[in-house]
Amino acid sequence: MSAVAVSVVMPAFNAAETIVEAVESILAEDAIPLELLVVDDGSTDNTRTLCQQLAARDPRLRVLGHPGDVQRGVGRSRQLAIERTRGHAIAFLDADDFYMPNRFAAEE
């Protein structure tokens, strides 16, 4: 696998209703090598389970959480992911949003 060009950071709190579409919109990108870091911010629904299932199918997805699985807020969740990125650039997406197809191809 080539070096990661873009690390996408996604904080998620109780996002079970939207997280699959958000994650799949990123993982559908094939124009550049990327990784997706989802930080479960202490969700009480099945957000983490859904993300772990998606991660089992695609190694570009990593699921993170705060120590003790507590809610720390969107800022700290982004910071946690940023500290673990491997990409040359960082992009953000909220767990209730999605990228249009070929989003990063348009940036090249």
Side-chain angles (χ1 to χ4, degrees), residues 7-25:
S7 296
V8 181
V9 170
M10 179 186 294
F13 175 72
N14 288 346
E17 291 185 26
T18 57
I19 194 79
V20 173
E21 181 180 14
V23 167
E24 288 178 344
S25 77

Side-chain angles (χ1 to χ4, degrees), residues 22-60:
V23 167
E24 288 178 344
S25 77
I26 295 165
L27 297 180
E29 179 70 53
D30 60 3
I32 61 167
L34 59 79
E35 67 177 349
L36 168 59
L37 293 88
V38 174
V39 179
D40 177 35
D41 190 22
S43 295
T44 57
D45 64 3
N46 65 340
T47 295
R48 185 176 294 219
T49 300
L50 290 170
C51 289
Q52 289 169 333
Q53 290 169 350
L54 292 165
R57 296 192 318 244
D58 194 320
R60 297 175 296 166

Side-chain angles (χ1 to χ4, degrees), residues 1-8 32-37 59-60 62 84-90:
M1 181 181 201
S2 55
V4 175
V6 176
S7 296
V8 181
I32 61 167
L34 59 79
E35 67 177 349
L36 168 59
L37 293 88
R60 297 175 296 166
R62 290 190 284 153
R84 289 168 174 77
T85 60
R86 294 179 270 206
H88 298 290
I90 297 173

